Amino acid sequence: MVEYAPHPLSSLSVEETSLARDIVLASSPNEVIQFRMIYRQEPEKAQLVPFLDLEHAGRLTTDTPRPPRLARVHYVRAGKSAERKADEIEATVDLNKKNVVSKDVVGQEFLAGLSTWEFDALVETCKESPLLKARIAQFSLPDGFDVIVEPWPYGGMDQPGDVRRFFQGLCFAMDRRSGNPDANYYAYPLPIIPVMDFEKNEIIRIDELATGGGDDPLAVTTPKTGPILDHCAPAEYVPELLPGGTRKDLKPLSVVQPQGPSFSIKDESLVEWQKWRFRVSFNPREGAVLHDICYDGRSVLYRLSISEMTVPYADPRAPFHRKQAFDFGDGGIGHAVNNLALGCDCLGVIKYFDGVLVDASGRAEKASQVICLHEQDDGIGWKHTNWMTNRAVSTRRRELVVQFIITLANYEYVFNYKLDLAGAINVETRATGIVSVVNIDPGKTAPWGNVVHPGTLAQNHQHIFCVRIDPAVDGHRNTVVQSDSLPVRMDARTNPHGNRYEVVDTPLLTSAGFDACPEANRVFKIQNLDIRNPVSGNPVGYKIDPPPTQKVLADPASIQAKRGSFAKHHLWLTKYRDHELYAAGHYPLSSKAEVGGVADMVARNEDLLQEDVVVWSCFGLTHNPRVEDWPVMPVEILQLHITPVDFFTANPAIDVTSGKDPASKLTNGSCCRSEQPKL
């Protein structure tokens, strides 16, 4: 009997994760170990590409050599003495040979990503801290209110000396009088932040927060005491606590697929839909990742992922200069992923994918339904009416959506990979949830935020994302070309009427950072110069249309800007290297500057002419909060478009079925009657 072998791109199973843990424990029997994460280490591209080529050609056999099945295990190794800090270890485990291939010690200048058990420790330490208890007692909280401590990364280290494993907690008061555990405590912010030294396992200080307005000093002059919530008010969002309840006149709108979905799943990771074929995996650092993306048998992308996201806040008062999350790199978003609910987060006929996470002991836990796959309608795909016969042919723009959602304390992010019938891929981010707020004195306003509720200031901030695109446009040797549409001055010989403009293509031959330019309609074409389109004669390609959003606004000399160098350009081009996956580097937690991120990668100044190039697309939302963002903000949507350009010989969706939807019907009411007005 042939032993089942997982596909090289499939995620680790619960059994494989447990095996990786056991191998590490067996290799270090005398060490005290706490685990952070265990996930599949992706094969080196040189090993995987030949395997995929055979798979595409239908020539795989049971004897086909496979890349090693490797696991990457992050764990804590206790120090050998009381004076020595614990070591952070990242081990590579060969699951086939059942041995540890390597153990890498994270340098003391870095902090390994945080774990949820550390946040639990912060909350427990805060509960027991005499320092924090005494400070809270000075606020004279109303009866029925309890203190909630919300764990946060410490942010950029602003003290001299070594990087320390600090954490901080944002403090709120929760009104328990309703008896509802989902009452909104964000409406009652407290002006203190306890800081924990994790190595000492204690709250070492409490940062006092200013509560004044724009005309008041930036520094705290006198810590607040006495009643602190009298000017605050409840702001609920769960349906049963809304004063007027929910709407009663919104009728059901259902997605019906009577014949089932148009996609199919094989090996629990291979998705086939129309002419698309790709694999889906999950890992605790990046969430959902798409691999080996092909259209009609032709290679488009080798890998597509959300690489990083940073959220710097713009309140200049200490300690908010440190308030900056790296939501993927600070510790991975795996433990923040949502269990996606059928009929709520995803509609229609759904396929769910599970993930695997580990607790502090390394015990593998199935994370259920962390990715959903479904089809959705997105309006008209293409249409034309013959004006002579009045015949209209119309098709719908159907999309296949791969979705995952994360909740990071107050905020939610919805990430969608959308593939359409015309060969395009859109990467979509949606920001929602509750804006981060601080206490503000009655009657005060501030230029670094907006008062969204009595006593509640929502601080200005940015959300800057980076999508990592590893192209394989008809192969792995590609070139990126900057394409600008530029005006041409009037010339009697070449542009006599002044209406011409020209398209200027500039090959980008060296790794560097680049910016969007809407004035020039700038796009970046990923082309395979070795293959020409038989119709146009141009190289086959896909184009990136970078959203021309604001880059990081913090001063270049600030810790915020230095930590997030990837946010200084809209697009970066680098040459592929195995395991270079993270735009802000491997260890952004409490960093003082970005190390090993895209800025360091492009500094190698490597040749990119028909090479294995990687494209990093950075875009973001400058979020200056509105009152309408409270108590839970409507989604803010951003999209990155990856679109074929001279890749096909015609519209690839020209053969999409047209016709009427038999489920559509006229309303029986009078709201939509079409009557010509009487003259």
Side-chain angles (χ1 to χ4, degrees), residues 1 5 88 108 149 172 225 235 296 304 320 327 361 390 408 428 472 546 612 652 658:
M1 178 181 293
E88 299 282 350
Q108 293 291 314
V149 177
F172 305 88
T225 58
D296 202 15
L304 180 63
F320 299 126
D327 290 311
S361 70
N390 208 34
L408 298 159
E428 179 186 86
D612 194 353
S658 60

Side-chain angles (χ1 to χ4, degrees), residues 649-661:
T649 55
N651 177 358
I654 201 69
D655 58 351
V656 172
T657 305
S658 60
K660 295 182 178 180
D661 174 21

Side-chain angles (χ1 to χ4, degrees), residues 121-370:
L122 168 65
V123 173
E124 290 302 315
T125 303
C126 286
K127 287 180 180 179
E128 301 301 323
S129 169
L131 184 65
L132 183 58
K133 287 180 180 179
R135 183 66 186 93
I136 290 172
Q138 296 176 325
F139 286 133
S140 305
L141 297 181
D143 291 339
F145 280 74
D146 291 339
V147 173
I148 302 293
V149 177
E150 186 171 87
W152 260 66
Y154 184 76
M157 297 294 291
D158 52 357
Q159 296 93 352
D162 295 337
V163 174
R164 298 286 297 171
R165 201 165 188 84
F166 285 174
F167 297 110
Q168 63 182 347
L170 307 188
C171 294
F172 305 88
M174 183 173 183
D175 187 352
R176 300 283 189 184
R177 292 173 297 184
S178 70
N180 191 315
D182 291 309
N184 182 16
Y185 55 83
Y186 292 105
Y188 300 99
L190 299 178
I192 54 172
I193 292 180
V195 176
M196 177 185 182
D197 185 325
F198 194 81
E199 300 294 337
K200 295 181 179 180
N201 194 33
E202 67 174 301
I203 302 302
I204 58 170
R205 72 171 191 269
I206 295 176
D207 288 341
E208 301 287 343
L209 309 184
T211 59
D215 296 329
D216 295 307
L218 297 181
V220 174
T221 53
T222 304
K224 287 280 184 176
T225 58
I228 193 65
L229 302 179
D230 289 0
H231 62 304
C232 298
E236 304 298 350
Y237 63 91
V238 294
E240 64 272 22
L241 291 180
L242 294 178
T246 56
R247 302 180 188 188
K248 305 299 188 292
D249 58 350
L250 194 60
K251 297 178 181 179
L253 177 63
S254 299
V255 176
V256 179
Q257 295 178 271
Q259 298 179 26
S262 299
F263 59 76
S264 63
I265 310 296
K266 299 176 182 176
D267 301 333
E268 283 303 308
S269 66
L270 177 62
V271 179
E272 294 179 321
W273 178 72
Q274 295 298 288
K275 299 177 182 181
W276 287 106
R277 181 186 188 277
F278 59 93
R279 290 190 181 266
V280 178
S281 73
F282 172 85
N283 71 71
R285 173 77 181 242
E286 301 163 292
V289 179
L290 304 191
H291 308 264
D292 191 26
I293 304 171
C294 299
Y295 188 96
D296 202 15
R298 296 173 65 186
S299 174
V300 176
L301 301 179
Y302 179 75
R303 192 180 193 273
L304 180 63
S305 64
I306 312 294
S307 177
E308 189 54 271
M309 171 176 57
T310 188
V311 187
Y313 281 77
D315 190 331
R317 303 171 297 177
F320 299 126
H321 63 291
R322 294 196 325 260
K323 193 174 181 182
Q324 179 182 21
F326 286 78
D327 290 311
F328 285 67
D330 277 345
I333 49 81
H335 288 90
V337 292
N338 288 195
N339 176 287
L340 303 178
L342 184 66
C344 295
D345 299 310
C346 311
L347 304 181
V349 182
I350 310 300
K351 163 64 181 177
Y352 289 104
F353 298 91
D354 299 329
V356 177
L357 303 170
V358 297
D359 61 15
S361 70
R363 182 173 63 91
E365 302 173 329
K366 184 176 78 170
S368 299
Q369 300 183 187
V370 294

Side-chain angles (χ1 to χ4, degrees), residues 301 425 469 471 473 478-485 503-529 539-549 551 569-574 608 613-619 640-646:
L301 301 179
I425 304 170
I469 305 162
V473 178
N478 295 158
T479 299
V480 178
V481 173
Q482 177 180 300
S483 183
D484 293 334
S485 299
V503 180
V504 178
D505 285 348
T506 306
L508 306 176
L509 304 182
T510 307
S511 56
F514 304 90
D515 290 318
C517 182
E519 296 86 355
N521 189 47
R522 179 170 294 166
V523 299
F524 295 89
K525 300 176 186 177
I526 306 167
Q527 296 181 327
N528 188 329
L529 304 184
V540 296
Y542 265 72
K543 67 177 181 179
I544 307 295
D545 189 2
T549 57
K551 297 172 285 187
H569 287 293
H570 291 120
L571 198 91
W572 302 81
L573 301 180
T574 65
L608 298 183
V613 65
V614 177
V615 180
W616 311 74
S617 179
C618 303
F619 53 91
L640 168 67
H641 304 295
I642 307 172
T643 312
V645 54
D646 290 345

Side-chain angles (χ1 to χ4, degrees), residues 326 552 560-569 572 583 593-594 598-599:
F326 286 78
V552 63
Q560 284 190 348
K562 290 178 180 178
R563 298 181 71 210
S565 291
F566 77 89
K568 295 178 180 179
H569 287 293
W572 302 81
E594 182 181 295
V598 289

Side-chain angles (χ1 to χ4, degrees), residues 7-223:
H7 190 276
L9 288 173
S10 65
S11 305
L12 293 186
S13 65
V14 169
E15 294 75 18
E16 288 177 310
T17 304
S18 298
L19 175 60
R21 174 205 59 191
D22 293 344
I23 292 170
V24 168
L25 288 172
S27 73
S28 307
N30 299 319
E31 295 176 345
V32 178
I33 296 177
Q34 289 175 308
F35 288 87
R36 297 200 182 279
M37 62 178 73
I38 301 176
Y39 56 92
R40 183 204 67 224
Q41 179 168 299
E42 295 187 11
E44 295 181 358
K45 186 180 281 192
Q47 297 174 322
L48 183 57
V49 168
F51 177 90
L52 295 177
D53 288 343
L54 291 173
E55 182 181 40
H56 297 163
R59 292 163 48 199
L60 285 182
T61 69
T62 55
D63 298 325
T64 299
R66 289 172 174 260
R69 186 73 169 166
L70 303 178
R72 192 71 171 169
V73 183
H74 296 210
Y75 65 93
V76 182
R77 181 175 68 187
K80 300 186 186 306
S81 66
E83 292 77 25
R84 180 179 173 183
K85 292 167 56 177
D87 288 331
E88 299 282 350
I89 306 295
E90 296 185 7
T92 299
V93 174
D94 190 316
L95 296 174
N96 300 119
K97 296 180 179 179
K98 297 181 174 56
N99 66 350
V100 176
V101 176
S102 65
K103 288 185 180 180
D104 302 318
V105 179
V106 177
Q108 293 291 314
E109 70 275 22
F110 301 114
L111 292 182
L114 56 85
S115 300
T116 53
W117 50 263
E118 290 179 304
F119 275 175
D120 293 340
L122 168 65
V123 173
E124 290 302 315
T125 303
C126 286
K127 287 180 180 179
E128 301 301 323
S129 169
L131 184 65
L132 183 58
K133 287 180 180 179
R135 183 66 186 93
I136 290 172
Q138 296 176 325
F139 286 133
S140 305
L141 297 181
D143 291 339
F145 280 74
D146 291 339
V147 173
I148 302 293
V149 177
E150 186 171 87
W152 260 66
Y154 184 76
M157 297 294 291
D158 52 357
Q159 296 93 352
D162 295 337
V163 174
R164 298 286 297 171
R165 201 165 188 84
F166 285 174
F167 297 110
Q168 63 182 347
L170 307 188
C171 294
F172 305 88
M174 183 173 183
D175 187 352
R176 300 283 189 184
R177 292 173 297 184
S178 70
N180 191 315
D182 291 309
N184 182 16
Y185 55 83
Y186 292 105
Y188 300 99
L190 299 178
I192 54 172
I193 292 180
V195 176
M196 177 185 182
D197 185 325
F198 194 81
E199 300 294 337
K200 295 181 179 180
N201 194 33
E202 67 174 301
I203 302 302
I204 58 170
R205 72 171 191 269
I206 295 176
D207 288 341
E208 301 287 343
L209 309 184
T211 59
D215 296 329
D216 295 307
L218 297 181
V220 174
T221 53
T222 304

